[in-house]
């Protein structure tokens, strides 16, 4: 089951969108830019992967500043390497009080066999499954 999200209350955060190119064969950076433009969403990209805790804090501080005018800050999270940085950013954003929506069809795992298991764990932690389709 997926959720509908009001676009005017969201920030789209794409971690390593170039990794999506390898898995789904599109130009993910351009794709997310079009999504942000279409829905009038603030957009943040982060391309270097292997984030440490200070980089995750810095990234979420930047997103929090973007959310200052949003009554109920919601984070649409997409991108690559579910097992690593996507999970850490999701959990930290939940801890900071964001409602986190995982764009499940726009997330890449290193190991496809375990992608659903990782997503289910994040859904149990409070992330909400959603899709742009």
């Amino acid at each position: 089951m997926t959720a509908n999200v009001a676009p005017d209350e969201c920030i789209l955060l794409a971690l390593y969108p170039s990794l999506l190119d390898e898995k789904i064969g599109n130009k993910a950076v351009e794709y997310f830019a079009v999504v942000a433009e279409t829905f009038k969403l603030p957009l943040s990209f982060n391309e270097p992967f292997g984030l440490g805790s200070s980089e995750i804090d810095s990234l979420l501080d930047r997103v929090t500043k973007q959310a200052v005018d949003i009554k109920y800050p919601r984070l649409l999270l997409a991108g690559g390497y579910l097992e690593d940085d996507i999970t850490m950013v999701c959990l930290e954003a939940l801890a900071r009080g964001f409602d986190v929506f995982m764009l499940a069809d726009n997330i890449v795992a290193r190991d496809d066999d375990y992608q659903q298991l990782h997503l289910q764990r994040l859904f149990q932690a409070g992330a909400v499954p959603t899709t742009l389709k």
Side-chain angles (χ1 to χ4, degrees):
M1 180 175 193
T2 60
N4 292 323
V5 181
D8 58 339
E9 296 180 347
C10 298
I11 293 173
L12 174 59
L13 175 59
L15 300 179
Y16 334 123
S18 63
L19 295 175
L20 291 172
D21 293 344
E22 298 171 15
K23 293 283 187 170
I24 60 177
N26 68 1
K27 295 183 178 179
V29 173
E30 294 172 15
Y31 171 74
F32 286 120
V34 168
V35 168
E37 176 74 20
T38 301
F39 293 106
K40 306 291 188 256
L41 299 175
L43 172 64
S44 286
F45 282 122
N46 195 63
E47 196 56 49
F49 56 88
L51 297 174
S53 60
S54 63
E55 287 116 350
I56 290 172
D57 285 342
S58 176
L59 175 63
L60 287 174
D61 286 345
R62 187 175 80 211
V63 170
T64 300
K65 287 178 186 171
Q66 286 181 295
V68 74
D69 295 329
I70 298 174
K71 186 175 181 182
Y72 301 107
R74 295 176 174 167
L75 184 64
L76 296 173
L77 186 57
Y81 294 156
L82 171 62
E83 299 90 339
D84 305 326
D85 297 329
I86 293 282
T87 294
M88 297 309 295
V89 168
C90 176
L91 294 175
E92 183 61 28
L94 287 167
R96 287 182 179 218
F98 277 90
D99 291 332
V100 178
F101 293 82
M102 305 291 293
L103 294 174
D105 58 341
N106 286 285
I107 291 178
V108 173
R110 283 190 167 97
D111 189 339
D112 292 337
D113 293 337
Y114 295 103
Q115 182 164 351
Q116 287 306 312
L117 176 64
H118 286 289
L119 285 171
Q120 289 302 321
R121 288 180 177 163
L122 292 175
F123 302 154
Q124 289 175 345
V128 179
T130 191
T131 179
L132 289 174
K133 294 180 181 180

